[in-house]
Amino acid sequence: MITIQELDTYRLEMAANMLKAIAHPMRIAILKHLEGGKKLTVTEIHELLGIEQATTSHHLGILKDKGVLCSRREGKNTSYYLKHDILSQIIDCLQKCTCE
Amino acid sequence: MITIQELDTYRLEMAANMLKAIAHPMRIAILKHLEGGKKLTVTEIHELLGIEQATTSHHLGILKDKGVLCSRREGKNTSYYLKHDILSQIIDCLQKCTCE
DNA sequence: GCCAAATATTTATATATTTGCATCTGTTAA
DNA sequence: TTAACAGATGCAAATATATAAATATTTGGC
């Protein structure tokens, strides 16, 4: 038996965890490259952003773990993509709010 | 003289800081109450959410410092409100993404 | 000026994140 | 079955954040 408050607390925490996952400069940069349903491999992202392979994989793992991204193994590579297209809204909003 | 990369890095950090400010269960709850241009005082928020006054003020300070909220002193009270209406998009998106 | 109400700041402790490096695990192709 | 490539994981040091309690500041009314 779960109460409304608990449900709400649970959802708030889930939402906070998703946002916390996104709230990092590198991870926002990753999401920018995945807008519009694009799929990229770990190597592509690590080359695009010029960061270590292990660091890239770590960031992608966080985003996947918190429900922001999905991944799919394709041979030697693993591609990552947005779990919900609607997440682009957050990136859009950030672009607009950091224009000043 | 500032380079494109530096500008981009700066904006990414600014965006990350805004999101980091929002990415906390209590602070998301606060924003939910401020959607639609509403203005609430510190006391109203601390009573609505049932958290300590000092804690409330602390959370509001973080949101203001990172550019999410604005505040306005009105007599003994201080009201807080969203700096950009568009920030509701983030709350909307979170509601939709945490429905499962 | 002085008090009380409404906010804000400070401090300390506990906890969580970030990052690079090294290492380990899968997978393909020879 | 082994070499080489792609990705994931574990660890440690530096850094950042959270939380609660105590204290400070600002404002209006007397």
Side-chain angles (χ1 to χ4, degrees), chain B residues 43 53 57 76-78 80:
Chain B
T43 301
Q53 177 278 316
S57 179
K76 278 195 282 194
N77 301 314
T78 303
Y80 283 82

Side-chain angles (χ1 to χ4, degrees), chain B residues 36-99:
Chain B
K38 264 172 275 178
K39 293 175 68 175
L40 293 175
T41 66
V42 179
T43 301
E44 285 170 329
I45 293 169
H46 114 75
E47 285 171 354
L48 269 171
L49 301 185
I51 54 180
E52 288 288 320
Q53 177 278 316
T55 306
T56 309
S57 179
H58 185 232
H59 286 311
L60 290 170
I62 290 171
L63 287 167
K64 182 181 176 186
D65 184 51
K66 302 307 182 194
V68 179
L69 298 184
C70 290
S71 68
R72 174 176 207 148
R73 185 119 205 179
E74 280 153 351
K76 278 195 282 194
N77 301 314
T78 303
S79 293
Y80 283 82
Y81 53 97
L82 288 183
K83 182 163 182 185
H84 305 277
D85 280 354
I86 204 180
L87 283 161
S88 305
Q89 273 195 6
I90 293 181
I91 305 299
D92 276 10
C93 178
L94 290 175
Q95 317 242 55
K96 288 178 187 146
C97 290
T98 58
C99 270

Side-chain angles (χ1 to χ4, degrees), chain A residues 14-78:
Chain A
M14 196 173 156
N17 283 333
M18 277 186 87
L19 268 199
K20 229 185 287 180
I22 303 176
H24 183 286
M26 278 302 164
R27 300 201 287 264
I28 294 174
I30 289 173
L31 295 190
K32 277 197 190 185
H33 286 287
L34 295 176
E35 277 189 296
K38 265 173 274 179
K39 292 175 67 174
L40 293 174
T41 67
V42 178
T43 301
E44 285 170 329
I45 293 169
H46 116 74
E47 285 171 353
L48 269 170
L49 301 185
I51 54 180
E52 289 286 322
Q53 177 276 317
T55 305
T56 308
S57 179
H58 187 230
H59 285 311
L60 290 170
I62 290 171
L63 288 167
K64 183 181 176 185
D65 184 51
K66 303 306 181 194
V68 179
L69 298 183
C70 291
S71 68
R72 174 176 207 148
R73 181 124 206 179
E74 281 153 350
K76 278 195 285 194
N77 301 314
T78 303

